[in-house]
Amino acid sequence: SIYFTSAMFVSTINSLGSVFWWDLLPKLTTLKKQKKEKKIYDIVKIKNSHFTEYSIYLSFLVIIFSPIIQFVVLNSNFEVSYFIYFVLLMSVYFHQISTGWEFYCYVNKRSNFIFLNSIFTGFLGFILYIILIPSFQILGALISLFLTKVIHMFSLMIYARKHGYKGNILDKNTYHKLIIFMLCILLFFIFSDLSFSVLSDQFNSLIKFFIIIFTYFSLVSLTKNFCK
């Protein structure tokens, strides 16, 4: 079902994040003791930038192969909802990308805020679920998840900057790739009604998505000089 592939999608991105964050807190703690603030910003930026690039590539792969995996594992065939995958991706991404700010708060003895912020966003998500799910079903759940993750991210960002965080979380080149990725996904949704009549809905979606991937890498290559 759609829930199987959605869970697979989320767990894949979360697993990717764990590769980058497992050693971040000890490193930030050491750098804080050595009073090397600039290196704290640098290591957060490097890890977030690598995570973002790999997330883009992994998202393309998961979206492309999820219909095949679903068919093989669950022996089911359904019209793929890429919008659901995209909202899930952005929700998980916003949560993961805030890890640097979260760990910065920890090394600066601001763990109480993280605790209270988690309680607040958890309670907010619960309220949103109650309000939105009865009327909008899975779309309501997606909206609730997305809003709580965005609020969680921005609250950590604002708090960390208020207490001394001065670095960027992504380098310029990665910002550039992330923007192009978002634009390509937007184009995919805009042209989602375009179909090749001789093919099934699944193959239509895959062909369009391969076109979007080609567009992404072409735009990254053509505009890379603007990031120098």
Side-chain angles (χ1 to χ4, degrees):
S1 68
I2 186 65
Y3 302 104
F4 170 82
T5 47
S6 298
M8 179 186 66
F9 192 91
V10 171
S11 62
T12 302
I13 301 298
N14 279 329
S15 297
L16 176 65
S18 66
V19 173
F20 292 96
W21 315 135
W22 71 271
D23 65 340
L24 181 58
L25 184 57
K27 287 183 177 180
L28 295 191
T29 301
T30 300
L31 291 172
K32 181 65 179 180
K33 291 178 180 178
Q34 297 172 349
K35 297 182 179 180
K36 296 180 178 179
E37 287 285 322
K38 187 178 183 301
K39 287 192 175 181
I40 289 177
Y41 309 144
D42 289 341
I43 193 172
V44 170
K45 180 168 67 175
I46 289 170
K47 283 184 174 290
N48 277 337
S49 296
H50 287 164
F51 170 74
T52 299
E53 290 202 39
Y54 282 112
S55 292
I56 290 172
Y57 304 145
L58 189 60
S59 298
F60 283 140
L61 289 174
V62 171
I63 291 176
I64 289 169
F65 289 108
S66 58
I68 300 173
I69 295 172
Q70 163 126 351
F71 180 77
V72 172
V73 175
L74 298 181
N75 194 28
S76 62
N77 198 14
F78 76 107
E79 184 177 351
V80 178
S81 178
Y82 289 110
F83 175 74
I84 291 177
Y85 294 152
F86 179 66
V87 176
L88 278 172
L89 161 67
M90 296 314 301
S91 300
V92 177
Y93 174 77
F94 286 140
H95 180 80
Q96 293 282 337
I97 208 72
S98 64
T99 303
W101 293 315
E102 181 179 341
F103 286 176
Y104 182 83
C105 291
Y106 275 126
V107 299
N108 282 278
K109 313 299 182 184
R110 305 287 178 178
S111 57
N112 285 341
F113 172 78
I114 297 173
F115 175 70
L116 293 173
N117 189 48
S118 298
I119 291 177
F120 169 74
T121 52
F123 179 74
L124 177 63
F126 177 72
I127 297 300
L128 289 173
Y129 285 148
I130 292 175
I131 295 173
L132 297 177
I133 289 179
S135 299
F136 301 101
Q137 289 78 47
I138 191 171
L139 181 59
L142 285 171
I143 294 172
S144 302
L145 177 66
F146 181 79
L147 288 177
T148 52
K149 295 304 181 184
V150 169
I151 291 171
H152 177 80
M153 180 194 69
F154 277 108
S155 59
L156 283 173
M157 180 191 72
I158 293 169
Y159 191 82
R161 291 191 178 281
K162 181 180 177 181
H163 289 86
Y165 192 92
K166 299 177 182 178
N168 295 319
I169 61 166
L170 295 174
D171 59 42
K172 187 176 180 181
N173 184 53
T174 307
Y175 271 123
H176 164 244
K177 291 180 179 179
L178 183 61
I179 291 171
I180 290 178
F181 173 72
M182 299 283 286
L183 289 174
C184 286
I185 295 298
L186 179 62
L187 285 174
F188 178 80
F189 291 138
I190 290 174
F191 294 104
S192 60
D193 291 333
L194 177 66
S195 63
F196 305 94
S197 57
V198 296
L199 300 174
S200 66
D201 291 339
Q202 286 76 17
F203 278 107
N204 270 313
S205 295
L206 286 176
I207 288 174
K208 285 181 284 186
F209 211 82
F210 275 118
I211 293 172
I212 291 300
I213 293 174
F214 175 78
T215 303
Y216 168 79
F217 284 106
S218 297
L219 288 175
V220 168
S221 178
L222 290 171
T223 61
K224 63 182 179 180
N225 290 331
F226 291 102
C227 297
K228 296 181 178 179

